[in-house]
Amino acid sequence: MNVFALRLLSVSVFSLMLGVAFAGAPVWPEVTQTAKPWVYNWWMASAVDEKGLENQCAELEKAGFGGFHVIPIYGAKGYEKQWRTMLSPEWVEAWNLAVRTARKHGLGVDLTMGSGWCFGGPWVTEADAASSGMKVKRAGPGGQGYMIDPFSPQAMSNHVAQFEVAFGRNGTAERPRAFYHDSFEYFEAHPKKGGEATDLVLKTFSVWTDWCRENGYLTRNEAHGSPVNWLDFYAIADIPETEMFGPECRDILISKFASSAAHVTGKRLVSSESCTWIGQHFGVPLAEYKRFVDRLFLSGVNHMFYHGCCYSPAEAPWPGWCFYASSEMNWRNPIWRDVKFLNAYIARCQAMFQTCEPDEDTLVYWPFGDYPVETNGTVETMTVHDRRWFHDRPVGAVARRLYAEGCAFDFVSDRQLQSLDLGRYARIVVPACTNIPAATRAAIDRFRERPVRLESFPSEGLCFTRMRRGDETVYFLANTNAAKVVSATRPSAQGAIWWMDPMTGEVRPAGGTVELEAYESGFFVAR
């Protein structure tokens, strides 16, 4: 067992040894419901009941969760009599019970606008269906049917209309905090009548975001997987959401597309579908979760959703109901006794992230016009799994070099350069490219460059992200090495430097350097 793993298991002891309070030391922000981690919550055929919901909410509250995200899916065999049809009066009754129970335990609730993924259902006609004719994946009762055409505003309008009775202004359902759209898996779908793919997708999904805002809901959107400009697609939602998937899919630069969209357009939260299938059921240690989460933090995520927790009746024998792609972040997992310590770490980190402002000073232009357009009007499919679309192009090489040099940057699109005030950034870096729109070139030419700060942290696996809090510069540092201690030299800033340890809550003056054990992380705060 490495030193960090031992430290994680012993965190309850460390939490009792916070040391003395130092005069003038920075303080941890208040931990809010949004700062705590949330969790995906699959409802198998929505066969939930009062006892099971009370058990679930009580366990999540005790373990330090802030909320859960309901996704109705296929049903469990043997429980067919308890299955509920989505949006039926019986389903709305169960949903209302869930939200009220969650509220009693201080938990928030989000909801997928549909069943399984992607958007669709029995109301989707062939005329409104995606050109590839795909059906909704993992759908539950009342949610089976075609996926909508993601290039058709009319198809989206017909889809959201199905939720008007329950969730409109005069609806009978309790209100979720946010509605959610999963990753873009309308595979092989293309515009049926031509047209520019990005414009069509933005118009289509703006129907959804507009309806949600008009009815008082936030939106969470996963743009990855789409053959359109991710930066613009992420940005249409209130909360852009990225994803890291499996043991090998932990690319900080890919997840920076979601945080960049938020930073450039002034959105406060960046969420993540986190720890998706990083190991077999009930077989992922807490230290592995922590390593995974830190990479999301380094990419700019500040509102994490575990993947996840399947609702299970209180009387179901172990292991209860399970979702096939989950690492099982629930009370039936042997790690559950200590999950509260990991969640306390995440909550401290996210409370800090959510009360800070991003401090990237460089923009990296994503030359989307250089991606070849296929005969169906879209570019190649781009995913978080196969990342050659990014790393095999000049923009990937530029981003990797800047990251290695200690440059804090965000990606930016043509549309954003042309329409937004980006004066807080000090420079724009343009990778080698051939197809820059004239309006983008004009925006770049008007940009007034200033000196940027290059940090000395990212060496030997020591990574960082930089933020601002009032007159403080805040650095989140993480040692990503498996078995190597690294030294973090104090940043070149005037005034006092403090080290804040989110694992223990300790705050102390920092000397010339801080040594980080393997996979250790924390905050440098410079005043």
Side-chain angles (χ1 to χ4, degrees):
M1 181 181 294
N2 63 39
V3 173
F4 174 72
L6 180 60
R7 187 164 181 253
L8 180 59
L9 292 173
S10 305
V11 70
S12 58
V13 176
F14 280 84
S15 64
L16 300 175
M17 301 169 61
L18 299 185
V20 297
F22 293 94
V27 297
W28 293 103
E30 177 188 359
V31 171
T32 64
Q33 184 186 81
T34 307
K36 296 176 182 179
W38 289 38
V39 65
Y40 278 63
N41 187 210
W42 296 282
W43 280 15
M44 302 189 79
S46 300
V48 299
D49 59 33
E50 183 174 4
K51 185 177 180 181
L53 288 169
E54 172 61 32
N55 182 58
Q56 171 178 287
C57 292
E59 289 286 352
L60 293 177
E61 180 187 20
K62 285 190 298 183
F65 284 81
F68 56 91
H69 163 199
V70 171
I71 310 172
I73 57 169
Y74 53 82
K77 292 182 178 180
Y79 288 82
E80 287 81 1
K81 291 183 179 180
Q82 284 79 45
W83 291 9
R84 291 183 178 85
T85 300
M86 193 181 65
L87 297 180
S88 67
E90 296 78 19
W91 185 92
V92 171
E93 181 181 6
W95 163 260
N96 288 347
L97 175 62
V99 175
R100 291 165 187 161
T101 306
R103 188 181 300 135
K104 182 177 71 172
H105 289 277
L107 303 171
V109 188
D110 287 357
L111 177 64
T112 290
M113 187 173 269
S115 179
W117 65 94
C118 301
F119 280 3
W123 47 81
V124 179
T125 64
E126 289 190 7
D128 281 349
S131 57
S132 54
M134 288 187 67
K135 300 292 184 69
V136 176
K137 296 182 178 180
R138 316 299 188 255
Q144 302 98 330
Y146 288 119
M147 291 185 189
I148 67 164
D149 181 353
F151 303 97
S152 169
Q154 185 59 55
M156 181 65 82
S157 181
N158 293 340
H159 177 70
V160 299
Q162 306 302 314
F163 294 80
E164 183 69 39
V165 171
F167 293 100
R169 289 192 179 276
N170 299 314
T172 59
E174 291 280 353
R175 302 174 66 80
R177 181 198 65 157
F179 277 109
Y180 169 80
H181 174 255
D182 209 321
S183 52
F184 196 98
E185 297 184 31
Y186 308 89
F187 298 129
E188 301 180 8
H190 58 269
K192 296 177 180 178
K193 298 180 181 179
E196 203 281 316
T198 294
D199 285 344
L200 288 172
V201 167
L202 296 185
K203 289 177 181 177
T204 298
F205 282 85
S206 290
V207 172
W208 168 60
T209 56
D210 288 348
W211 182 91
C212 289
R213 287 168 186 149
E214 288 167 4
N215 286 280
Y217 303 112
L218 299 175
T219 51
R220 289 171 36 223
N221 179 49
E222 294 191 343
H224 45 274
S226 67
V228 302
N229 194 305
W230 287 15
L231 294 169
D232 299 327
F233 191 17
Y234 275 128
I236 70 168
D238 300 294
I239 308 174
E241 178 158 313
T242 186
E243 177 182 12
M244 286 189 181
F245 188 108
E248 303 301 328
C249 181
R250 308 184 187 192
D251 196 318
I252 293 170
L253 296 181
I254 297 299
S255 285
K256 277 180 71 68
F257 276 81
S259 61
S260 295
H263 296 168
V264 167
T265 59
K267 293 178 170 61
R268 187 173 68 90
L269 296 176
V270 183
S271 58
S272 62
E273 185 176 351
S274 314
C275 309
T276 307
W277 218 344
I278 58 175
Q280 291 303 317
H281 297 268
F282 307 105
V284 181
L286 283 172
E288 183 67 8
Y289 277 103
K290 197 269 185 186
R291 290 192 285 269
F292 202 102
V293 166
D294 281 347
R295 296 193 71 82
L296 288 164
F297 289 161
L298 290 166
S299 71
V301 167
N302 63 7
H303 185 28
M304 194 199 71
F305 288 73
Y306 289 112
H307 191 286
C309 168
C310 189
Y311 170 87
S312 186
E315 70 274 9
W318 190 90
W321 292 358
C322 297
F323 182 64
Y324 77 99
S326 177
S327 300
E328 306 298 346
M329 180 54 78
N330 59 54
W331 50 97
R332 304 182 298 279
N333 194 320
I335 64 172
W336 192 251
R337 181 191 65 182
D338 297 316
V339 163
K340 60 185 176 183
F341 301 119
L342 176 61
N343 283 354
Y345 164 82
I346 292 170
R348 286 192 189 101
C349 287
Q350 294 192 153
M352 181 69 81
F353 296 143
Q354 291 175 17
T355 53
C356 288
E357 298 292 330
D359 197 28
E360 286 78 11
D361 54 13
T362 296
L363 290 169
V364 175
Y365 170 56
W366 188 26
F368 194 73
D370 273 17
Y371 285 70
V373 178
E374 300 175 352
T375 56
N376 62 19
T378 65
V379 300
E380 63 187 285
T381 299
M382 298 175 289
T383 71
V384 297
H385 312 291
D386 184 348
R387 301 177 290 280
R388 289 174 292 181
W389 59 269
F390 175 75
H391 286 294
D392 288 359
R393 294 179 179 272
V395 65
V398 166
R400 291 193 300 273
R401 186 180 77 242
L402 291 174
Y403 195 76
E405 291 175 352
C407 176
F409 66 87
D410 286 322
F411 296 110
V412 67
S413 72
D414 292 293
R415 188 182 302 262
Q416 291 162 351
L417 280 170
Q418 294 170 22
S419 62
L420 299 177
D421 179 3
L422 301 174
R424 78 168 185 85
Y425 291 92
R427 69 170 174 175
I428 300 175
V429 176
V430 180
C433 56
T434 57
N435 296 303
I436 303 181
T440 298
R441 188 178 295 278
I444 293 172
D445 290 343
R446 290 193 300 269
F447 197 88
R448 295 184 177 181
E449 290 203 354
R450 307 186 303 276
V452 299
R453 287 174 289 170
L454 297 181
E455 307 292 353
S456 60
F457 297 133
S459 59
E460 302 179 287
L462 182 63
C463 300
F464 83 100
T465 188
R466 189 178 67 212
M467 300 158 287
R468 289 176 288 109
R469 187 175 68 163
D471 61 354
E472 299 173 338
T473 301
V474 179
Y475 301 85
F476 175 74
L477 304 179
N479 179 5
T480 63
N481 290 286
K484 184 177 183 180
V485 177
V486 297
S487 296
T489 304
R490 58 183 288 165
S492 55
Q494 301 297 319
I497 309 294
W498 300 85
W499 179 250
M500 303 180 73
D501 185 343
M503 187 61 70
T504 65
E506 180 187 15
V507 179
R508 59 179 172 81
T513 61
V514 171
E515 287 195 340
L516 281 78
E517 303 285 350
Y519 296 127
E520 189 177 0
S521 55
F523 292 92
F524 257 141
V525 178
R527 289 179 163 178

